[in-house]
Amino acid sequence: MAERMVGKQAPRFEMDAVFTNKEFGKVSLEENMKNDKWTVLFFYPMDFTFVCPTEITAMSDRYDEFEDLDAEVIGVSTDTIHTHLAWIKTDRKDNGLGDLKYPLAADTNHVVSREYGVLIEEEGVALRGLFIINPEGELQYAVVNHNNIGRSVDETLRVLQALQTGGLCPANWKPGQATL
């Protein structure tokens, strides 16, 4: 039976990643926590696919909004950092990503995907999972959907802002509206 994750400490992670300068390094939840940042961690199935680049580039195009909310965005798949880099170096018009404003991490050993409950074991790829973690490391939001459906950056930003109010946000709450 699946165990509840929301409201508990998020699984800690450290993964190899490709950064915005196209160099390799490490990303970790601990680093974001140390810097008092929210973490928007999202998983996608594979590089060089069709729905994935629409999400990854949409998040990048709106990255400044996440940054304004003291949030770090990290994209993750089970592909290697070398595959990530090749995809980043591929122009958007050719189904590539082009320059990104946040890192793509490689969960090649599937540990992080498994810990966050998004790994499709028999395929070795992740479902489209998105997790928002507060600066104290508590998992505040989790959504997982079928790999055929792309996610909404608007909704991700709305939820992040709602969480940051610290209040009770009714259905269809929008930034600037009163909380309960």
mmCIF file of all heavy atoms in Angstrom, residues 33-67:
data_model
loop_
_atom_site.group_PDB
_atom_site.id
_atom_site.type_symbol
_atom_site.label_atom_id
_atom_site.label_comp_id
_atom_site.label_asym_id
_atom_site.label_seq_id
_atom_site.Cartn_x
_atom_site.Cartn_y
_atom_site.Cartn_z
ATOM 1 N N MET A 33 17.373 23.839 0.676
ATOM 2 C CA MET A 33 16.958 24.121 2.050
ATOM 3 C C MET A 33 17.959 25.059 2.726
ATOM 4 O O MET A 33 17.555 26.007 3.400
ATOM 5 C CB MET A 33 16.826 22.810 2.834
ATOM 6 C CG MET A 33 15.667 21.948 2.391
ATOM 7 S SD MET A 33 15.702 20.285 3.098
ATOM 8 C CE MET A 33 15.616 20.661 4.851
ATOM 9 N N LYS A 34 19.232 24.799 2.538
ATOM 10 C CA LYS A 34 20.279 25.636 3.130
ATOM 11 C C LYS A 34 20.151 27.083 2.646
ATOM 12 O O LYS A 34 20.398 28.029 3.395
ATOM 13 C CB LYS A 34 21.657 25.068 2.774
ATOM 14 C CG LYS A 34 22.809 25.792 3.433
ATOM 15 C CD LYS A 34 24.126 25.081 3.194
ATOM 16 C CE LYS A 34 24.552 25.305 1.766
ATOM 17 N NZ LYS A 34 25.850 24.725 1.441
ATOM 18 N N ASN A 35 19.718 27.245 1.388
ATOM 19 C CA ASN A 35 19.551 28.585 0.809
ATOM 20 C C ASN A 35 18.149 29.152 1.037
ATOM 21 O O ASN A 35 17.787 30.164 0.440
ATOM 22 C CB ASN A 35 19.869 28.542 -0.682
ATOM 23 C CG ASN A 35 21.331 28.262 -0.939
ATOM 24 O OD1 ASN A 35 22.202 28.716 -0.197
ATOM 25 N ND2 ASN A 35 21.616 27.497 -1.978
ATOM 26 N N ASP A 36 17.351 28.485 1.900
ATOM 27 C CA ASP A 36 16.009 28.932 2.253
ATOM 28 C C ASP A 36 15.102 29.080 1.025
ATOM 29 O O ASP A 36 14.340 30.030 0.903
ATOM 30 C CB ASP A 36 16.073 30.245 3.042
ATOM 31 C CG ASP A 36 14.816 30.472 3.869
ATOM 32 O OD1 ASP A 36 14.234 29.490 4.349
ATOM 33 O OD2 ASP A 36 14.429 31.652 4.016
ATOM 34 N N LYS A 37 15.191 28.100 0.128
ATOM 35 C CA LYS A 37 14.419 28.115 -1.117
ATOM 36 C C LYS A 37 13.351 27.033 -1.112
ATOM 37 O O LYS A 37 13.520 25.960 -0.549
ATOM 38 C CB LYS A 37 15.337 27.854 -2.322
ATOM 39 C CG LYS A 37 16.410 28.888 -2.541
ATOM 40 C CD LYS A 37 15.841 30.140 -3.100
ATOM 41 C CE LYS A 37 16.959 31.109 -3.453
ATOM 42 N NZ LYS A 37 16.467 32.322 -4.051
ATOM 43 N N TRP A 38 12.249 27.334 -1.759
ATOM 44 C CA TRP A 38 11.246 26.326 -2.083
ATOM 45 C C TRP A 38 11.804 25.506 -3.242
ATOM 46 O O TRP A 38 12.588 26.029 -4.050
ATOM 47 C CB TRP A 38 9.939 26.987 -2.508
ATOM 48 C CG TRP A 38 9.201 27.631 -1.385
ATOM 49 C CD1 TRP A 38 9.524 28.813 -0.765
ATOM 50 C CD2 TRP A 38 8.030 27.143 -0.743
ATOM 51 N NE1 TRP A 38 8.612 29.073 0.227
ATOM 52 C CE2 TRP A 38 7.683 28.071 0.256
ATOM 53 C CE3 TRP A 38 7.237 26.022 -0.930
ATOM 54 C CZ2 TRP A 38 6.584 27.897 1.069
ATOM 55 C CZ3 TRP A 38 6.133 25.850 -0.118
ATOM 56 C CH2 TRP A 38 5.817 26.781 0.868
ATOM 57 N N THR A 39 11.381 24.255 -3.344
ATOM 58 C CA THR A 39 11.815 23.402 -4.446
ATOM 59 C C THR A 39 10.602 22.933 -5.223
ATOM 60 O O THR A 39 9.648 22.406 -4.642
ATOM 61 C CB THR A 39 12.586 22.176 -3.917
ATOM 62 O OG1 THR A 39 13.729 22.627 -3.180
ATOM 63 C CG2 THR A 39 13.045 21.277 -5.061
ATOM 64 N N VAL A 40 10.634 23.156 -6.532
ATOM 65 C CA VAL A 40 9.632 22.609 -7.439
ATOM 66 C C VAL A 40 10.359 21.512 -8.214
ATOM 67 O O VAL A 40 11.175 21.789 -9.091
ATOM 68 C CB VAL A 40 9.052 23.675 -8.387
ATOM 69 C CG1 VAL A 40 8.081 23.045 -9.379
ATOM 70 C CG2 VAL A 40 8.385 24.791 -7.592
ATOM 71 N N LEU A 41 10.089 20.278 -7.830
ATOM 72 C CA LEU A 41 10.743 19.110 -8.399
ATOM 73 C C LEU A 41 9.747 18.422 -9.315
ATOM 74 O O LEU A 41 8.671 18.014 -8.865
ATOM 75 C CB LEU A 41 11.161 18.165 -7.267
ATOM 76 C CG LEU A 41 11.862 16.873 -7.641
ATOM 77 C CD1 LEU A 41 13.270 17.161 -8.167
ATOM 78 C CD2 LEU A 41 11.930 15.953 -6.422
ATOM 79 N N PHE A 42 10.095 18.336 -10.605
ATOM 80 C CA PHE A 42 9.163 17.649 -11.498
ATOM 81 C C PHE A 42 9.873 16.574 -12.308
ATOM 82 O O PHE A 42 10.996 16.736 -12.731
ATOM 83 C CB PHE A 42 8.397 18.632 -12.389
ATOM 84 C CG PHE A 42 9.175 19.213 -13.538
ATOM 85 C CD1 PHE A 42 9.118 18.632 -14.804
ATOM 86 C CD2 PHE A 42 9.937 20.349 -13.359
ATOM 87 C CE1 PHE A 42 9.825 19.168 -15.866
ATOM 88 C CE2 PHE A 42 10.643 20.901 -14.422
ATOM 89 C CZ PHE A 42 10.590 20.315 -15.680
ATOM 90 N N PHE A 43 9.175 15.453 -12.433
ATOM 91 C CA PHE A 43 9.677 14.302 -13.166
ATOM 92 C C PHE A 43 8.976 14.229 -14.516
ATOM 93 O O PHE A 43 7.791 14.546 -14.626
ATOM 94 C CB PHE A 43 9.386 13.012 -12.393
ATOM 95 C CG PHE A 43 10.124 12.905 -11.092
ATOM 96 C CD1 PHE A 43 9.630 13.512 -9.943
ATOM 97 C CD2 PHE A 43 11.308 12.183 -11.008
ATOM 98 C CE1 PHE A 43 10.308 13.407 -8.734
ATOM 99 C CE2 PHE A 43 11.990 12.072 -9.805
ATOM 100 C CZ PHE A 43 11.494 12.689 -8.663
ATOM 101 N N TYR A 44 9.711 13.776 -15.510
ATOM 102 C CA TYR A 44 9.148 13.527 -16.833
ATOM 103 C C TYR A 44 9.743 12.222 -17.357
ATOM 104 O O TYR A 44 10.796 11.785 -16.891
ATOM 105 C CB TYR A 44 9.406 14.707 -17.777
ATOM 106 C CG TYR A 44 10.866 14.961 -18.074
ATOM 107 C CD1 TYR A 44 11.475 14.407 -19.201
ATOM 108 C CD2 TYR A 44 11.644 15.746 -17.236
ATOM 109 C CE1 TYR A 44 12.812 14.630 -19.470
ATOM 110 C CE2 TYR A 44 12.977 15.977 -17.502
ATOM 111 C CZ TYR A 44 13.556 15.417 -18.624
ATOM 112 O OH TYR A 44 14.884 15.625 -18.895
ATOM 113 N N PRO A 45 9.071 11.557 -18.315
ATOM 114 C CA PRO A 45 9.497 10.216 -18.705
ATOM 115 C C PRO A 45 10.857 10.130 -19.418
ATOM 116 O O PRO A 45 11.716 9.380 -18.988
ATOM 117 C CB PRO A 45 8.391 9.712 -19.613
ATOM 118 C CG PRO A 45 7.341 10.735 -19.643
ATOM 119 C CD PRO A 45 7.797 11.927 -18.897
ATOM 120 N N MET A 46 11.029 10.856 -20.512
ATOM 121 C CA MET A 46 12.244 10.671 -21.306
ATOM 122 C C MET A 46 12.586 11.896 -22.135
ATOM 123 O O MET A 46 11.702 12.633 -22.559
ATOM 124 C CB MET A 46 12.070 9.505 -22.290
ATOM 125 C CG MET A 46 12.125 8.137 -21.684
ATOM 126 S SD MET A 46 12.188 6.849 -22.951
ATOM 127 C CE MET A 46 10.550 6.935 -23.634
ATOM 128 N N ASP A 47 13.881 12.038 -22.373
ATOM 129 C CA ASP A 47 14.358 13.062 -23.292
ATOM 130 C C ASP A 47 13.979 12.674 -24.730
ATOM 131 O O ASP A 47 13.743 11.506 -25.026
ATOM 132 C CB ASP A 47 15.881 13.190 -23.201
ATOM 133 C CG ASP A 47 16.353 13.725 -21.855
ATOM 134 O OD1 ASP A 47 15.510 14.158 -21.041
ATOM 135 O OD2 ASP A 47 17.572 13.715 -21.614
ATOM 136 N N PHE A 48 13.935 13.662 -25.588
ATOM 137 C CA PHE A 48 13.655 13.487 -27.018
ATOM 138 C C PHE A 48 12.297 12.831 -27.267
ATOM 139 O O PHE A 48 12.160 11.964 -28.120
ATOM 140 C CB PHE A 48 14.784 12.698 -27.713
ATOM 141 C CG PHE A 48 16.076 13.469 -27.764
ATOM 142 C CD1 PHE A 48 17.084 13.206 -26.845
ATOM 143 C CD2 PHE A 48 16.279 14.470 -28.705
ATOM 144 C CE1 PHE A 48 18.278 13.912 -26.873
ATOM 145 C CE2 PHE A 48 17.467 15.188 -28.745
ATOM 146 C CZ PHE A 48 18.472 14.911 -27.821
ATOM 147 N N THR A 49 11.301 13.257 -26.507
ATOM 148 C CA THR A 49 9.934 12.788 -26.705
ATOM 149 C C THR A 49 9.077 13.978 -27.138
ATOM 150 O O THR A 49 9.616 15.025 -27.503
ATOM 151 C CB THR A 49 9.391 12.132 -25.425
ATOM 152 O OG1 THR A 49 9.500 13.074 -24.352
ATOM 153 C CG2 THR A 49 10.145 10.862 -25.084
ATOM 154 N N PHE A 50 7.759 13.856 -27.069
ATOM 155 C CA PHE A 50 6.890 14.871 -27.662
ATOM 156 C C PHE A 50 6.222 15.805 -26.662
ATOM 157 O O PHE A 50 6.220 17.009 -26.853
ATOM 158 C CB PHE A 50 5.845 14.180 -28.544
ATOM 159 C CG PHE A 50 6.488 13.382 -29.640
ATOM 160 C CD1 PHE A 50 6.588 12.000 -29.544
ATOM 161 C CD2 PHE A 50 7.048 14.014 -30.735
ATOM 162 C CE1 PHE A 50 7.214 11.267 -30.535
ATOM 163 C CE2 PHE A 50 7.680 13.294 -31.732
ATOM 164 C CZ PHE A 50 7.768 11.907 -31.637
ATOM 165 N N VAL A 51 5.643 15.276 -25.585
ATOM 166 C CA VAL A 51 4.976 16.121 -24.593
ATOM 167 C C VAL A 51 6.015 16.783 -23.684
ATOM 168 O O VAL A 51 5.878 17.953 -23.321
ATOM 169 C CB VAL A 51 3.960 15.305 -23.754
ATOM 170 C CG1 VAL A 51 3.331 16.164 -22.665
ATOM 171 C CG2 VAL A 51 2.874 14.723 -24.658
ATOM 172 N N CYS A 52 7.068 16.049 -23.350
ATOM 173 C CA CYS A 52 8.068 16.539 -22.395
ATOM 174 C C CYS A 52 8.652 17.908 -22.744
ATOM 175 O O CYS A 52 8.722 18.780 -21.872
ATOM 176 C CB CYS A 52 9.188 15.519 -22.214
ATOM 177 S SG CYS A 52 8.622 13.952 -21.518
ATOM 178 N N PRO A 53 9.067 18.141 -24.002
ATOM 179 C CA PRO A 53 9.665 19.453 -24.262
ATOM 180 C C PRO A 53 8.683 20.608 -24.096
ATOM 181 O O PRO A 53 9.083 21.716 -23.759
ATOM 182 C CB PRO A 53 10.180 19.354 -25.697
ATOM 183 C CG PRO A 53 9.415 18.240 -26.313
ATOM 184 C CD PRO A 53 9.106 17.287 -25.189
ATOM 185 N N THR A 54 7.389 20.342 -24.279
ATOM 186 C CA THR A 54 6.415 21.421 -24.098
ATOM 187 C C THR A 54 6.369 21.858 -22.640
ATOM 188 O O THR A 54 6.256 23.046 -22.345
ATOM 189 C CB THR A 54 5.004 21.015 -24.570
ATOM 190 O OG1 THR A 54 4.483 19.967 -23.741
ATOM 191 C CG2 THR A 54 5.016 20.563 -26.026
ATOM 192 N N GLU A 55 6.480 20.900 -21.731
ATOM 193 C CA GLU A 55 6.477 21.215 -20.301
ATOM 194 C C GLU A 55 7.790 21.860 -19.866
ATOM 195 O O GLU A 55 7.804 22.851 -19.145
ATOM 196 C CB GLU A 55 6.293 19.948 -19.476
ATOM 197 C CG GLU A 55 4.963 19.301 -19.597
ATOM 198 C CD GLU A 55 4.858 18.134 -18.652
ATOM 199 O OE1 GLU A 55 5.738 17.262 -18.658
ATOM 200 O OE2 GLU A 55 3.897 18.136 -17.874
ATOM 201 N N ILE A 56 8.885 21.253 -20.284
ATOM 202 C CA ILE A 56 10.209 21.722 -19.847
ATOM 203 C C ILE A 56 10.463 23.145 -20.321
ATOM 204 O O ILE A 56 10.928 23.981 -19.549
ATOM 205 C CB ILE A 56 11.296 20.744 -20.336
ATOM 206 C CG1 ILE A 56 11.111 19.385 -19.638
ATOM 207 C CG2 ILE A 56 12.686 21.308 -20.086
ATOM 208 C CD1 ILE A 56 11.915 18.256 -20.258
ATOM 209 N N THR A 57 10.130 23.435 -21.566
ATOM 210 C CA THR A 57 10.350 24.795 -22.074
ATOM 211 C C THR A 57 9.348 25.783 -21.474
ATOM 212 O O THR A 57 9.701 26.929 -21.220
ATOM 213 C CB THR A 57 10.312 24.840 -23.610
ATOM 214 O OG1 THR A 57 9.054 24.347 -24.079
ATOM 215 C CG2 THR A 57 11.453 24.009 -24.216
ATOM 216 N N ALA A 58 8.121 25.337 -21.218
ATOM 217 C CA ALA A 58 7.135 26.231 -20.595
ATOM 218 C C ALA A 58 7.589 26.628 -19.192
ATOM 219 O O ALA A 58 7.452 27.794 -18.788
ATOM 220 C CB ALA A 58 5.756 25.564 -20.546
ATOM 221 N N MET A 59 8.140 25.673 -18.441
ATOM 222 C CA MET A 59 8.666 25.985 -17.100
ATOM 223 C C MET A 59 9.836 26.958 -17.223
ATOM 224 O O MET A 59 9.956 27.894 -16.433
ATOM 225 C CB MET A 59 9.112 24.713 -16.386
ATOM 226 C CG MET A 59 7.982 23.771 -16.033
ATOM 227 S SD MET A 59 6.995 24.310 -14.644
ATOM 228 C CE MET A 59 7.874 23.548 -13.316
ATOM 229 N N SER A 60 10.698 26.739 -18.190
ATOM 230 C CA SER A 60 11.853 27.616 -18.378
ATOM 231 C C SER A 60 11.420 29.029 -18.771
ATOM 232 O O SER A 60 11.962 30.012 -18.270
ATOM 233 C CB SER A 60 12.787 27.038 -19.441
ATOM 234 O OG SER A 60 13.947 27.822 -19.582
ATOM 235 N N ASP A 61 10.438 29.109 -19.662
ATOM 236 C CA ASP A 61 9.956 30.421 -20.117
ATOM 237 C C ASP A 61 9.360 31.238 -18.975
ATOM 238 O O ASP A 61 9.337 32.464 -19.035
ATOM 239 C CB ASP A 61 8.917 30.257 -21.230
ATOM 240 C CG ASP A 61 9.517 29.722 -22.524
ATOM 241 O OD1 ASP A 61 10.759 29.716 -22.677
ATOM 242 O OD2 ASP A 61 8.726 29.285 -23.386
ATOM 243 N N ARG A 62 8.909 30.570 -17.925
ATOM 244 C CA ARG A 62 8.287 31.252 -16.783
ATOM 245 C C ARG A 62 9.174 31.197 -15.535
ATOM 246 O O ARG A 62 8.729 31.518 -14.432
ATOM 247 C CB ARG A 62 6.926 30.608 -16.469
ATOM 248 C CG ARG A 62 5.965 30.481 -17.642
ATOM 249 C CD ARG A 62 5.056 31.657 -17.855
ATOM 250 N NE ARG A 62 4.258 32.062 -16.755
ATOM 251 C CZ ARG A 62 3.030 31.598 -16.449
ATOM 252 N NH1 ARG A 62 2.466 30.673 -17.193
ATOM 253 N NH2 ARG A 62 2.381 32.077 -15.409
ATOM 254 N N TYR A 63 10.414 30.782 -15.702
ATOM 255 C CA TYR A 63 11.309 30.579 -14.563
ATOM 256 C C TYR A 63 11.452 31.820 -13.695
ATOM 257 O O TYR A 63 11.513 31.709 -12.468
ATOM 258 C CB TYR A 63 12.695 30.115 -15.027
ATOM 259 C CG TYR A 63 13.635 29.923 -13.864
ATOM 260 C CD1 TYR A 63 13.511 28.805 -13.050
ATOM 261 C CD2 TYR A 63 14.593 30.877 -13.536
ATOM 262 C CE1 TYR A 63 14.335 28.625 -11.953
ATOM 263 C CE2 TYR A 63 15.420 30.714 -12.439
ATOM 264 C CZ TYR A 63 15.287 29.583 -11.654
ATOM 265 O OH TYR A 63 16.095 29.416 -10.562
ATOM 266 N N ASP A 64 11.479 32.991 -14.281
ATOM 267 C CA ASP A 64 11.628 34.225 -13.494
ATOM 268 C C ASP A 64 10.518 34.358 -12.451
ATOM 269 O O ASP A 64 10.747 34.882 -11.362
ATOM 270 C CB ASP A 64 11.644 35.453 -14.399
ATOM 271 C CG ASP A 64 12.882 35.506 -15.285
ATOM 272 O OD1 ASP A 64 13.848 34.744 -15.029
ATOM 273 O OD2 ASP A 64 12.891 36.303 -16.242
ATOM 274 N N GLU A 65 9.325 33.880 -12.769
ATOM 275 C CA GLU A 65 8.221 33.929 -11.820
ATOM 276 C C GLU A 65 8.481 33.009 -10.630
ATOM 277 O O GLU A 65 8.155 33.347 -9.493
ATOM 278 C CB GLU A 65 6.906 33.570 -12.505
ATOM 279 C CG GLU A 65 6.485 34.591 -13.551
ATOM 280 C CD GLU A 65 5.276 34.148 -14.326
ATOM 281 O OE1 GLU A 65 4.178 34.025 -13.718
ATOM 282 O OE2 GLU A 65 5.409 33.907 -15.546
ATOM 283 N N PHE A 66 9.060 31.838 -10.898
ATOM 284 C CA PHE A 66 9.421 30.931 -9.803
ATOM 285 C C PHE A 66 10.531 31.561 -8.957
ATOM 286 O O PHE A 66 10.489 31.518 -7.731
ATOM 287 C CB PHE A 66 9.887 29.576 -10.348
ATOM 288 C CG PHE A 66 8.768 28.750 -10.906
ATOM 289 C CD1 PHE A 66 8.535 28.701 -12.277
ATOM 290 C CD2 PHE A 66 7.941 28.013 -10.076
ATOM 291 C CE1 PHE A 66 7.509 27.934 -12.794
ATOM 292 C CE2 PHE A 66 6.911 27.242 -10.579
ATOM 293 C CZ PHE A 66 6.697 27.214 -11.949
ATOM 294 N N GLU A 67 11.490 32.144 -9.622
ATOM 295 C CA GLU A 67 12.602 32.792 -8.926
ATOM 296 C C GLU A 67 12.103 33.915 -8.022
ATOM 297 O O GLU A 67 12.568 34.064 -6.887
ATOM 298 C CB GLU A 67 13.602 33.326 -9.955
ATOM 299 C CG GLU A 67 14.932 33.712 -9.398
ATOM 300 C CD GLU A 67 15.911 34.050 -10.496
ATOM 301 O OE1 GLU A 67 15.564 34.825 -11.416
ATOM 302 O OE2 GLU A 67 17.034 33.546 -10.424
#
